[in-house]
Amino acid sequence: MAFVALQAVVVRIAAGPLAGASWRTTVIKTMILMATASVAMATVASAQPLVPRVFGDPAGPRQEGSVRVQSSINVFLPGPTNESEDAQKLRDRGKRLVYEAAARECDLLREVVAKDCRIESISSTVNIGRQPYGQQVEGYTINGQTSFVITLK
């Protein structure tokens, strides 16, 4: 509705001044119409009911007393970054660090707060990088993220 009123204003401006009105009067009336149209659009938008979206847990329903825990690790491993066998071994070593850290994290959670610990997801990223400070040493930046679901003690 407000859009139609706004279109009518544009058509009037394009057709020239309103019948018998001066240029200033036309501009003032146009501004008033545009302000009214803006208020009308805002009123219509704000009148729409806000319905909260409820998304299910991607891992499925959780048991009572369970908690999701997330952990991350960032490591720089200096070494060759070409396609050699040594470079491949270094990339594999970086990924292994992420997986071993995830396993140790579950053990630590069991020692401190958890009756049970389950790894929900693990992601690891290996990027060629340079050490951010000191000498520009070539190597890999390893990033790992792990999500766990634990049952509290």
Side-chain angles (χ1 to χ4, degrees):
M1 180 73 175
F3 182 71
V4 173
L6 197 54
Q7 280 182 325
V9 170
V10 172
V11 169
R12 286 183 187 167
I13 292 172
L18 297 173
S22 70
W23 181 83
R24 284 188 180 146
T25 305
T26 303
V27 169
I28 291 171
K29 287 182 180 181
T30 302
M31 289 173 65
I32 291 170
L33 280 171
M34 290 176 76
T36 304
S38 296
V39 170
M41 286 191 290
T43 303
V44 170
S46 66
Q48 295 177 358
L50 296 176
V51 179
R53 289 184 172 186
V54 178
F55 296 102
D57 188 346
R62 287 189 294 201
Q63 294 177 332
E64 183 71 29
S66 68
V67 176
R68 180 172 288 131
V69 177
Q70 294 181 331
S71 178
S72 63
I73 182 172
N74 299 306
V75 180
F76 179 78
L77 297 177
T81 58
N82 52 24
E83 294 302 318
S84 68
E85 187 175 324
D86 287 341
Q88 182 60 50
K89 286 180 182 178
L90 188 61
R91 290 189 294 270
D92 290 346
R93 181 175 155 221
K95 290 179 186 180
R96 178 179 291 275
L97 285 171
V98 171
Y99 304 141
E100 289 173 349
R104 282 192 305 275
E105 187 75 17
C106 237
D107 292 341
L108 180 62
L109 287 165
R110 282 189 198 98
E111 286 177 24
V112 180
V113 295
K115 273 193 295 188
D116 185 41
C117 178
R118 178 175 57 87
I119 295 174
E120 190 174 52
S121 67
I122 301 175
S123 68
S124 63
T125 309
V126 179
N127 292 311
I128 295 174
R130 299 201 183 281
Q131 200 166 14
Y133 41 79
Q135 296 178 358
Q136 294 293 314
V137 178
E138 188 175 67
Y140 291 101
T141 301
I142 313 298
N143 299 305
Q145 288 81 33
T146 309
S147 294
F148 307 89
V149 175
I150 66 167
T151 305
L152 297 173
K153 288 183 178 182

